[in-house]
């Protein structure tokens, strides 16, 4: 039989003939004959190559012309749909339907013809040195379960497969795609894979990337997918001819080994004995020892080794069947150890752990269970995970950033790895030292302590050499196309006229741009990626541009700066980041990110997407927040109405509650628009149990009850009560009791002589007089339950203090702004209210940031201590409070508790949402 090269030549010749005939207007019959010839040539090739053509696409000789036409229409339709509103979902559904139909048809046809699948090439060429004829027991690999009764066509598979998704089945017996995963880690592709289990599948499946307008394809089978990976992503730095390279005989040898290994495995699997396993073991030993070679096909690692390694693997998770009788013979032992200890194998094992939530890490790597809302980090290796939080020092951290930083921190800690905080300072026009400083402080507030703090600006020199390298490799070009025109060209997928400038010219203009020359300002550097890509971010993105604003760290050393698109993939890789957590609006950029790492031959970094966290009635964009500050809508970046970290902490957000809340949503990719009230309810749970209880009486509208059988206020009589009635561990406090008790007049209105009322925490008082001043008599051991009214109150005392209570509402009065709406049209100006109350002497001891509960009013945070003047958040000195906290004295901010009808008496003045 001819080898693949000559089969390919036959295809090429036949194809050329068809084209010639068509072009020259040949006879219909002649064209038909030529097409039949082409088909035959392809069939012969596919028969000798696992049913696939040279480019790896499966070839079905039975697909009629009509089918093809339909296929083309379908793919055109799909492409159109993708151009309009590409949902991976709908494409996958279509593809699944199509596959199902095709398989049914193929099965029907094959049943009619009584045909067997095309016989695989039996390789007249020389067998591998020691590959013997397979024993009878191992002669037939087990048929894939879903193809029972259908002799031809792929088994029908259900469940959608999205691009770059690798799906396998958790069903017992269904093997995990170990070879595929090993090939993926070796080809550096693993960071791109989205791993998923789907019990509806019986064969591993992989969705390829759609290229240009072509829709994604599904490849099935562990080895087919592995081959695809190794062919499409050959590793430059590994020089492993994993497939036998362009040497077709070598490739046949590899294929023979694979086929033989599968037969042996089939025997072991089908009969449940060790025949196949031991036979394979013997053959591998004979080959390695007999040839004195490192690997099965000589001294180079090939796919044959990976497949055999997998078949001989003892890990029951990977391989449920084999249990060898004796230990490995010596050559196998060496070969196995080499493969077993390879970092790729290690990584593959961890990849397996990360898809299958039930698999434990090895004993010495036991980790805390995952937080309930969080997923595994794919490919995460304990002790080696490195995450990073890259804030741009162009504003203060807000609650959305808190999600990003807390997630990064969580994963770094959970995997016992590292967290880098990197100031992403590549745009001197927006960045300031002040912002950088504030971020450092806010991270502390959030309880985040990075292992290392770095700056993108520290890499400016390195980034510049990478840019020059791209220029020299012909992978980047200088462009002076005006911005608008560039945008139009992008939309039209039209190359820039500068795309093919020579490297020398490119360098010249790059230097001009970097020199700060005004002429150079017109030029920017663009990566030469792909203007035809469906993904707009791949259309030659700008990666360097001039900026003459002095940089807050590097001063005027540089006059041109890398963009985020260039800097991020480089610095992530260089700094050893293993998992880059990015909000999902960067999804489109993932491809570009990988392109840069590939183009620059850098270590690939795995991207893990998570959804932005937004809150209702809240704007988070730095630009808009800056507007509020600059227009005096708030008192500063730490205003309690502001969603900045310092703002919300001042409002009463408890960091532990926030952390728990964020982890409970986890790194899900679903877009989240949070309701403040839901968060506040969680927040309350965290703080309520430790909040000391106090009572206050408002300055306006109070009434006095004279308790005729109690001591004068001057006598200083106290009750020693639990500061928290339910939790004595919170401590004790003194509650002054006397004959003169202040209450809210609304609480006591309509009271009648003879009525028993409860004074909270003290006891029952029987009202004895109402006209001309209310009087009552303390009833020791009175029945609290029999009373209708339960009042908060305060004894008259010289030690009582004045307390200012503040309440806030959101700055925006619409839950979520629509596209095109201007936030300035939705400013809620009724966002602050305050009142003055009297509190008892115990409140003098409250410290800044203490959280207390004022009975029947709610939770409060101490913003200013008693006896202090000014805004403590700003250092406690200087001008008086800027929210209306004039003068001095205790200032409390109400902490919402998630109930829309808050206990607060200011509730009527403000919305609670
Ligand atoms: P803006 O676009 O408002 O200027 P930004 O998101 O670009 O803000 P960065 O300083 O670049 O600000 O953000 C640092 C990190 O915080 C990024 O990884 C970003 O994805 C993340 N982040 C920003 N906003 C949110 C959010 N609302 N939810 C979750 N993560 C966020
Ligand atoms: Mg940003």
């Amino acid at each position: 039989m001819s080898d693949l090269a000559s089969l390919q030549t036959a295809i090429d010749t036949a194809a050329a003939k068809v084209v010639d005939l068509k072009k020259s207007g040949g006879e219909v019959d002649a064209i038909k004959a030529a097409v039949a010839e082409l088909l035959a040539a392809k069939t012969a090739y596919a028969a000798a190559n696992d049913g696939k053509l040279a480019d790896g696409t499966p070839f079905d000789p039975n697909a009629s012309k009509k089918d093809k036409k339909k296929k083309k229409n379908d793919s055109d339709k799909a492409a159109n749909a993708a151009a309009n509103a590409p949902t991976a979902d709908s494409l996958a559904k279509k593809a699944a339907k199509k596959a199902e139909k095709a398989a049914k048809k193929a099965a029907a046809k094959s049943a009619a013809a009584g045909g067997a699948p095309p016989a695989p090439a039996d390789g007249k060429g020389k067998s591998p040195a020691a590959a013997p004829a397979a024993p009878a027991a191992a002669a037939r690999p087990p048929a894939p379960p879903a193809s029972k009764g259908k002799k031809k066509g792929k088994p029908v598979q259900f469940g959608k497969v999205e691009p770059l998704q690798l799906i396998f089945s958790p069903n017992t017996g269904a093997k995990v795609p170990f070879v595929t995963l090993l090939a993926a880690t070796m080809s550096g592709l693993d960071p791109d894979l989205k791993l998923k289990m789907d019990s509806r599948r019986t064969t591993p499946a992989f969705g390829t990337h759609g290229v240009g307008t072509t829709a994604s394809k599904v490849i099935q089978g562990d080895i087919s997918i592995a081959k695809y990976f190794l062919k499409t992503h050959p590793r430059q730095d590994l020089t492993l001819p994993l497939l036998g390279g362009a040497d077709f005989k070598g490739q046949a040898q590899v294929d023979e080994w694979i086929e033989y290994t599968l037969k042996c495995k089939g025997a072991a699997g089908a009969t449940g004995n060790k025949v196949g396993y031991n036979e394979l073991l013997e053959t591998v030993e004979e080959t390695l020892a007999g040839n004195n070679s490192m690997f099965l096909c000589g001294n180079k690692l090939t796919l044959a080794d990976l497949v055999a390694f997998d078949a001989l693997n003892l890990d029951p998770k990977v391989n449920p069947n084999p249990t060898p009788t004796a230990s490995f013979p010596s050559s196998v032992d060496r070969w196995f150890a080499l493969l077993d200890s390879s970092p790729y194998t290690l990584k593959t094992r961890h990849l397996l752990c990360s898809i299958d939530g039930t698999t434990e890490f090895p004993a010495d790597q036991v980790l805390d269970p995952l937080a309930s809302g969080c997923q595994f980090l794919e490919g995460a290796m304990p002790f080696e995970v490195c995450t990073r939080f890259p804030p741009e020092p162009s504003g203060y951290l807000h609650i959305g950033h808190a999600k990003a930083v807390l997630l990064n921190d969580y994963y770094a800690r959970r995997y016992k790895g590292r967290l880098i905080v990197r100031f992403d300072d590549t745009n001197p026009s927006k960045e300031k030292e002040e912002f950088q400083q504030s971020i450092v402080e806010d991270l502390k507030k959030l309880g985040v302590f990075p292992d290392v703090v770095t700056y993108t600006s520290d890499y400016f020199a390195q980034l510049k050499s990478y840019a020059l390298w791209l220029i020299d490799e012909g992978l980047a070009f200088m462009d002076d196309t005006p911005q608008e025109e560039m945008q139009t060209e992008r939309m039209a997928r039209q190359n820039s006229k500068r795309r093919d400038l020579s490297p020398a010219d490119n360098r010249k203009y790059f230097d001009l741009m970097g020199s700060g020359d005004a002429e150079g300002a017109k030029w920017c550097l663009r990566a030469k990626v792909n203007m035809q890509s469906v993904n707009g971010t791949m259309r030659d993105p700008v990666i360097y541009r001039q900026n003459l604003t002095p940089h807050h760290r590097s001063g005027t050393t540089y006059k041109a700066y890398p963009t985020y698109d260039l800097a991020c993939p480089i610095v992530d890789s260089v700094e050893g980041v293993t998992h880059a957590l990015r909000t999902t609006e960067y999804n489109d950029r993932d491809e570009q990110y990988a392109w840069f790492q590939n183009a620059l031959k850098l270590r690939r970094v795995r991207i893990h997407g998570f959804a932005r966290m937004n809150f209702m009635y809240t704007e988070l964009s730095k630009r808009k927040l800056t507007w509020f500050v600059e227009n005096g809508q708030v008192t500063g970046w730490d205003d309690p109405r502001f969603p900045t970290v310092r703002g919300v902490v001042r409002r009463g957000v408890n960091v532990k509650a926030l952390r728990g809340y964020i982890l409970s949503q986890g790194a899900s990719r679903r877009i989240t628009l949070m309701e403040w009230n839901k968060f506040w309810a969680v927040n309350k749970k965290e703080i309520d149990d430790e909040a000391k209880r106090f009572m206050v009486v408002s300055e306006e509208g109070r009434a006095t009850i004279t308790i005729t059988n109690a001591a004068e206020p001057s006598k200083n009589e106290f009750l020693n009560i639990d500061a928290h009635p339910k939790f004595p561990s919170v401590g004790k406090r003194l509650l002054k009791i006397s004959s003169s008790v202040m209450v809210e007049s609304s609480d006591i209105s309509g009271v009648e002589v003879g009525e028993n009322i409860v004074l909270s925490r003290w006891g029952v008082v029987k009202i004895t007089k109402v006209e001309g001043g209310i009087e009552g008599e303390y009833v020791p051991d009175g029945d609290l339950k029999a009373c209708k009214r339960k009042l908060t109150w305060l004894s008259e005392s010289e030690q009582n203090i004045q307390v200012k209570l503040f309440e806030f509402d959101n700055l925006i009065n619409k839950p979520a702004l629509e596209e095109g709406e201007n936030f300035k049209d939705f400013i809620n100006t009724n966002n602050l209210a305050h009142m003055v109350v009297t509190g008892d002497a115990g409140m003098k001891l409250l410290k800044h940031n203490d959280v207390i509960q004022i009975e029947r009013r709610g939770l409060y945070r101490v913003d200013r201590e008693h006896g202090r003047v000014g805004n403590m958040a700003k250092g406690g000195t200087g001008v008086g409070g800027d929210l209306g906290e004039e003068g001095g004295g205790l200032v409390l901010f109400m902490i919402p508790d998630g109930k829309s009808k808050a206990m607060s008496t200011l509730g009527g003045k403000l919305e609670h949402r």
Side-chain angles (χ1 to χ4, degrees):
M1 185 189 271
S2 30
D3 65 20
L4 287 177
S6 55
L7 288 171
Q8 183 62 47
T9 316
I11 295 179
D12 295 343
T13 318
K17 199 168 162 189
V18 174
V19 173
D20 278 347
L21 281 169
K22 279 186 177 168
K23 270 191 185 160
S24 59
E27 295 285 333
V28 176
D29 281 348
I31 295 178
K32 269 189 184 165
V35 169
E37 218 174 292
L38 174 61
L39 216 62
K42 284 190 175 175
T43 310
Y45 189 103
N49 189 40
D50 285 353
K52 289 188 190 110
L53 295 177
D55 62 358
T57 49
F59 180 72
D60 178 7
N62 293 314
S64 70
K65 231 178 170 182
K66 211 166 134 199
D67 280 347
K68 269 194 195 149
K69 205 166 173 188
K70 190 178 170 310
K71 232 187 221 168
K72 187 178 175 323
N73 282 344
D74 280 357
S75 78
D76 285 350
K77 265 187 214 157
N80 283 342
N84 294 334
T87 74
D89 213 281
S90 66
L91 280 184
K93 262 186 203 151
K94 259 188 201 163
K97 257 194 183 160
K98 222 168 79 184
E100 199 179 331
K101 253 190 183 168
K104 267 187 195 155
K105 209 167 174 181
K109 250 190 190 170
S110 106
D122 64 2
K124 263 195 197 156
K126 254 185 157 295
S127 297
R140 235 156 44 98
S147 67
K148 252 184 212 162
K150 298 172 189 173
K151 297 228 171 89
K152 224 177 207 177
K154 283 183 199 166
V156 182
Q157 294 283 342
F158 298 99
K160 62 183 179 185
V161 186
E162 285 166 14
L164 295 183
Q165 214 175 35
L166 176 63
I167 302 191
F168 78 102
S169 165
N171 295 337
T172 31
K175 214 184 68 61
V176 293
F178 189 79
V179 176
T180 291
L181 286 174
L182 198 52
T185 55
M186 285 186 160
S187 57
L189 196 80
D190 57 300
D192 284 334
L193 296 184
K194 300 177 184 84
L195 303 173
K196 201 187 149 190
M197 296 219 262
D198 189 338
S199 55
R200 292 168 296 181
R201 292 206 156 258
T202 53
T203 323
F206 173 70
T208 67
H209 229 320
V211 179
T213 51
T214 359
S216 155
K217 266 195 171 134
V218 177
I219 302 177
Q220 296 188 41
D222 191 9
I223 291 165
S224 310
I225 303 170
K227 278 188 176 174
Y228 175 80
F229 286 172
L230 296 171
K231 272 186 182 155
T232 52
H233 291 74
R235 275 292 287 264
Q236 309 297 334
D237 54 338
L238 261 177
T239 56
L240 300 178
L242 288 153
L243 287 170
D247 161 16
F248 286 103
K249 290 216 178 90
Q251 181 147 1
Q253 200 189 355
V254 173
D255 285 342
E256 268 175 342
W257 259 109
I258 294 173
E259 215 171 298
Y260 171 67
T261 305
L262 295 182
K263 275 180 189 167
C264 292
K265 238 183 127 160
T271 59
N273 66 30
K274 297 163 197 153
V275 175
Y277 187 87
N278 286 339
E279 187 200 309
L280 178 64
L281 195 63
E282 270 167 35
T283 314
V284 172
E285 174 66 20
E286 271 173 44
T287 308
L288 294 172
N291 294 356
N292 196 17
S293 62
M294 284 258 282
F295 297 105
L296 294 180
C297 302
N299 281 329
K300 288 183 171 160
L301 180 70
T302 69
L303 184 60
D305 296 285
L306 309 191
V307 177
F309 170 66
D310 173 41
L312 294 176
N313 204 338
L314 303 180
D315 182 351
K317 175 87 196 78
V318 176
N319 221 341
N321 289 317
T323 33
T325 39
S327 57
F328 283 153
S330 65
S331 297
V332 172
D333 203 39
R334 173 191 50 74
W335 167 87
F336 194 90
L338 192 69
L339 289 165
D340 199 45
S341 61
S342 132
Y344 299 108
T345 308
L346 216 65
K347 205 166 174 201
T348 302
R349 296 223 169 90
H350 283 96
L351 269 179
L352 288 172
C353 290
S354 69
I355 9 180
D356 175 359
T358 60
T359 310
E360 269 302 335
F361 285 97
D364 59 336
Q365 298 175 3
V366 172
L367 305 172
D368 291 340
L370 270 179
S372 66
C374 291
Q375 308 147 315
F376 278 97
L377 274 191
E378 282 179 357
M381 308 253 286
F383 305 102
E384 288 186 14
V385 164
C386 177
T387 61
R388 90 302 195 250
F389 173 64
E392 183 180 5
S394 55
Y396 283 67
L397 290 189
H398 57 59
I399 190 141
H401 294 125
K403 173 171 180 182
V405 70
L406 291 174
L407 272 183
N408 276 292
D409 185 50
Y410 170 73
Y411 280 117
R413 303 300 160 229
R414 195 234 168 208
Y415 287 99
K416 304 183 195 300
R418 292 186 309 140
L419 170 71
I420 299 175
V421 165
R422 182 195 316 137
F423 287 105
D424 183 31
D425 52 356
T426 55
N427 184 353
S429 307
K430 294 203 283 181
E431 295 145 12
K432 280 200 228 155
E433 181 70 33
E434 171 204 346
F435 295 132
Q436 192 172 299
Q437 201 46 44
S438 77
I439 292 172
V440 171
E441 288 165 16
D442 288 350
L443 288 175
K444 269 195 212 135
K445 270 198 174 68
L446 290 172
V448 170
F449 301 94
D451 295 282
V452 41
V453 174
T454 66
Y455 302 83
T456 305
S457 54
D458 285 346
Y459 297 91
F460 280 161
Q462 217 171 328
L463 290 163
K464 189 174 161 190
S465 26
Y466 276 113
L468 289 171
W469 191 86
L470 284 176
I471 289 179
D472 293 345
E473 289 292 305
L475 291 171
F477 62 97
M478 293 298 292
D479 199 353
D480 64 345
T481 309
Q483 211 164 351
E484 263 178 37
E485 207 176 304
M486 202 186 280
Q487 201 45 37
T488 317
E489 284 178 1
R490 265 221 180 91
M491 304 283 276
R493 303 187 186 189
Q494 197 181 323
N495 285 352
S496 159
K497 57 182 182 300
R498 302 289 189 194
R499 204 169 195 260
D500 294 318
L501 280 186
S502 70
D505 280 341
N506 278 326
R507 271 198 174 245
K508 186 176 84 192
Y509 293 121
F510 186 84
D511 290 343
L512 185 68
M513 171 183 79
S515 70
D517 188 287
E519 248 333 272
K522 294 184 192 143
W523 292 86
C524 65
L525 183 66
R526 292 175 74 184
K528 202 188 275 186
V529 187
N530 177 11
M531 284 304 277
Q532 308 312 316
S533 175
V534 274
N535 181 346
T537 71
M538 296 294 274
R539 296 184 204 144
D540 296 0
V542 173
I543 55 175
Y544 240 93
R545 56 164 68 93
Q546 195 183 79
N547 189 337
L548 299 181
T549 315
H551 189 277
H552 76 280
R553 293 188 77 242
S554 63
T556 52
T557 310
Y558 297 95
K559 311 259 177 357
Y561 296 89
T563 59
Y564 176 84
D565 287 346
L566 178 69
C568 189
I570 296 178
V571 182
D572 278 352
S573 184
V574 168
E575 285 190 335
V577 171
T578 58
H579 292 76
L581 273 62
R582 310 218 287 185
T583 42
T584 43
E585 81 271 12
Y586 284 102
N587 272 354
D588 282 354
R589 296 197 123 68
D590 293 353
E591 195 183 347
Q592 190 205 65
Y593 179 94
W595 185 89
F596 281 112
Q597 287 175 352
N598 274 330
L600 292 164
K601 306 204 184 310
L602 288 166
R603 186 184 55 83
R604 293 288 308 280
V605 175
R606 190 176 284 276
I607 290 180
H608 185 92
F610 69 94
R612 251 176 199 265
M613 181 170 75
N614 291 318
F615 277 90
M616 288 187 181
Y617 303 103
T618 306
E619 277 299 327
L620 288 181
S621 125
K622 282 178 197 158
R623 184 177 57 80
K624 294 175 189 167
L625 295 183
T626 308
W627 179 88
F628 278 97
V629 176
E630 286 175 354
N631 286 275
Q633 298 283 328
V634 291
T635 56
W637 289 93
D638 63 351
D639 191 290
R641 294 161 292 187
F642 229 26
T644 48
V645 166
R646 42 191 69 194
V648 298
V649 167
R650 214 173 150 205
R651 179 96 183 257
V653 165
N654 174 282
V655 170
K656 197 167 159 212
L658 182 63
R659 199 178 265 265
Y661 186 68
I662 283 171
L663 294 182
S664 74
Q665 303 168 32
S668 115
R669 292 174 174 88
R670 238 177 324 114
I671 295 294
T672 38
L673 180 63
M674 316 304 304
E675 280 174 56
W676 275 109
N677 274 344
K678 293 220 170 98
F679 169 75
W680 289 125
V682 172
N683 196 61
K684 179 182 176 182
K685 272 197 198 134
E686 188 63 44
I687 55 182
D688 196 35
D689 291 354
E690 283 174 26
K692 289 186 176 171
R693 269 50 178 167
F694 289 89
M695 290 185 279
V696 299
V697 178
S698 50
E699 275 196 350
E700 280 171 28
R702 64 170 62 160
T704 303
I705 305 175
T706 306
I707 314 289
T708 48
N709 55 348
E712 287 285 304
S714 59
K715 288 270 174 355
N716 281 335
E717 250 188 64
F718 296 95
L719 295 175
N720 189 11
I721 59 166
D722 286 334
H724 192 306
K726 280 195 216 134
F727 303 105
S729 61
V730 174
K732 294 277 187 189
R733 77 178 191 91
L734 293 177
L735 177 68
K736 185 175 169 85
I737 51 174
S738 77
S739 59
S740 181
V741 164
M742 299 175 283
V743 297
E744 307 286 348
S745 46
S746 57
D747 282 352
I748 199 79
S749 79
V751 74
E752 286 167 12
V753 173
E755 185 180 336
N756 280 354
I757 61 167
V758 174
L759 294 183
S760 212
R761 317 296 297 278
W762 186 7
V764 176
V765 167
K766 184 178 183 161
I767 300 298
T768 50
K769 174 172 170 268
V770 176
E771 295 299 319
I774 305 170
E775 280 179 16
E777 198 174 276
Y778 177 70
V779 187
D781 304 323
D783 182 4
L784 298 171
K785 289 204 183 107
C787 304
K788 270 201 310 217
R789 292 179 208 251
K790 187 176 177 192
L791 281 68
T792 48
W793 56 279
L794 211 58
S795 165
E796 201 112 8
S797 164
E798 282 181 358
Q799 296 295 319
N800 284 346
I801 61 171
Q802 201 182 50
V803 185
K804 270 188 192 160
L805 302 184
F806 282 79
E807 258 178 66
F808 308 100
D809 189 17
N810 305 304
L811 295 165
I812 300 283
N813 56 25
K814 190 162 187 233
L817 296 190
E818 312 282 332
E819 192 69 29
E821 278 179 341
N822 187 343
F823 72 100
K824 291 177 202 164
D825 298 336
F826 300 94
I827 306 285
N828 171 29
T829 45
N830 183 30
N831 56 38
L832 179 147
H834 56 82
M835 68 186 292
V836 183
V837 298
T838 304
D840 71 17
M843 289 184 137
K844 288 181 184 173
L845 302 176
L846 293 175
K847 292 276 167 268
H848 188 218
N849 289 328
D850 275 356
V851 171
I852 61 163
Q853 194 196 90
I854 298 183
E855 289 189 33
R856 291 172 65 222
R857 282 179 193 269
L859 290 157
Y860 288 81
R861 177 192 146 271
V862 178
D863 193 61
R864 184 173 68 193
E865 295 168 4
H866 173 73
R868 296 289 284 256
V869 178
N871 180 345
M872 291 194 65
K874 294 202 166 85
T877 51
V879 288
D882 31 27
L883 289 159
E885 313 144 88
E886 302 85 3
L890 187 60
V891 169
L892 302 179
F893 287 176
M894 180 173 175
I895 306 171
D897 59 5
K899 293 184 190 133
S900 48
K901 283 209 176 5
M903 291 189 273
S904 132
T905 43
L906 286 174
K909 293 193 185 164
L910 295 176
E911 297 268 359
H912 286 265
R913 46 194 160 194

